[in-house]
Amino acid sequence: LVVSYLAGIAWLQQVGIVMLAVFVLQGLSVLHFAVDIRALPMFVLILAYLLLITPVLNSFAIIALAAFGYSDAWVRFRPRILAAKKDKDL
């Protein structure tokens, strides 16, 4: 995304913004999954949404959620969260 802005390539900027939105949604879905199986408290999800609507902190929340969503594609947090939750319940 940064490279596209520095290079001034308009279509690449638009693709970068769409991909950022996709990874933010993926990060939110991982948080929802963790809260649904009770691996994280509901407070974490509420805090994430509050950070998204807070004008000063929303850019930090967007970048953090996008990085979390992007890393989920590589690390696969959901099976790991599920396995950790099963081990904890036993």
Side-chain angles (χ1 to χ4, degrees), residues 14-78:
Q14 300 302 320
V15 169
I17 290 171
V18 169
M19 292 304 296
L20 182 74
V22 167
F23 287 130
V24 166
L25 291 175
Q26 186 172 356
L28 279 174
S29 72
V30 172
L31 283 180
H32 274 274
F33 175 76
V35 169
D36 283 344
I37 66 165
R38 308 257 191 258
L40 286 176
M42 180 63 84
F43 173 73
V44 174
L45 190 60
I46 293 170
L47 181 65
Y49 279 108
L50 285 175
L51 287 174
L52 282 174
I53 63 171
T54 305
V56 176
L57 300 173
N58 68 350
S59 59
F60 170 73
I62 289 171
I63 297 298
L65 283 171
F68 189 54
Y70 180 75
S71 63
D72 178 50
W74 291 91
V75 179
R76 299 187 61 197
F77 288 120
R78 291 169 222 222

Side-chain angles (χ1 to χ4, degrees), residues 1-23:
L1 188 61
V2 174
V3 173
S4 65
Y5 279 102
L6 292 176
I9 303 171
W11 68 270
L12 196 55
Q13 293 171 1
Q14 300 302 320
V15 169
I17 290 171
V18 169
M19 292 304 296
L20 182 74
V22 167
F23 287 130

